[in-house]
Amino acid sequence: MKRSLPTAAALAAALVLAGCGSDPAPAGPAAGASAAAAARQDVVSAEQKVDAVAALLPADVRKAGTLKLGGAVGTPPSAFYPDPGQKRPAGLDVDFADAVAKVLGITITRQDAAFETILPALSSGKYDVGTGNFGVTTARLRTIDFVTYIDDGQGFAVRRDNTAIKPVTDLVQLCGLTIGTGAGTTFESTLAAKKNVCTDAGRKPYEVKVFGDNGAILTGLQQGRVDVVMSTINGLRHQAAQPAANTRFLGEFHRLDVGFAFKKGSPLTPAFQAAVNRLIKDGTYARILQKWGTQDSAVDSSRISPPEHA
């Protein structure tokens, strides 16, 4: 009898409720604690306004006291809904935005948005700042400025029972396979840019299936519609630590700085950079990373629009 496979919604719920951790990075505050439990830990509210940092904001922003943020919601640890019924996001990106807002003495009004719509909306002025585990790439730097706060990047995962595929160090290893990834991501653009590697090697090309929802990617993997998933290092590590996900992390492929995103030339970047550096100095930064089990993504200081990692 064929075993039925979980739906995208069921898998997404399982990932939130299952044990939180990272492999091989250290786990969060308590080994086995759920992502939903981590979301209830407050490591931000004690943060205070720092006048010298707030003074770096443009005068009109200081007067208005508010900024508009477009934020993508996916899976832990970046941003997710601990209670899907309430649609109140939590995660690494959310904590950093909240902490920076406190240092700057402003209110950041968040609007949840589809990942692929946020960067274009910055240029149009719909949002002042965007979050979504946005990696700093050469292509994005042409139109977007970044203020970095972690180092994450690209990785691969397979079903746990798939032992044939080894850690991916070259995309030629994926020739003939079907790869699932998210729409509008660095993963999609990397796979598209390197699509010739298999034909150049005289092998069958890989196929890329693009999904707009993280739960659908995981469902596709479990149902055998994709062989490999390409996504964030932190997200795939977290996922692989959940028994319900039934995945195996294949390791890091390409590291990327991750940061707050702004339209090119935004006057907000110096203030955000100074705020992140303040969080690093006062210890809140380390507490946020500890909360979400992402300590190996720590950076020594925030940078404005650094070049993409080689």
Side-chain angles (χ1 to χ4, degrees), residues 24-25 135-137 150-155 233-234 237 249 252-258 294-299 307-310:
V136 179
T137 67
I150 60 168
D151 185 57
D152 193 355
Q154 304 173 335
I233 294 167
N234 284 337
R237 278 178 170 164
F249 179 53
E252 301 178 7
F253 179 70
H254 180 48
R255 278 274 177 176
L256 291 171
D257 287 310
V258 169
T294 55
Q295 297 94 316
D296 71 336
S297 281
V299 296
E308 180 178 351
H309 285 322

Side-chain angles (χ1 to χ4, degrees), residues 72 74-80 90-95 132-133 150 152 232 234-235 292:
T75 57
S78 293
F80 67 105
L92 189 72
D93 290 346
V94 178
D95 280 347
N133 204 75
I150 60 168
D152 193 355
T232 66
N234 284 337
W292 296 109

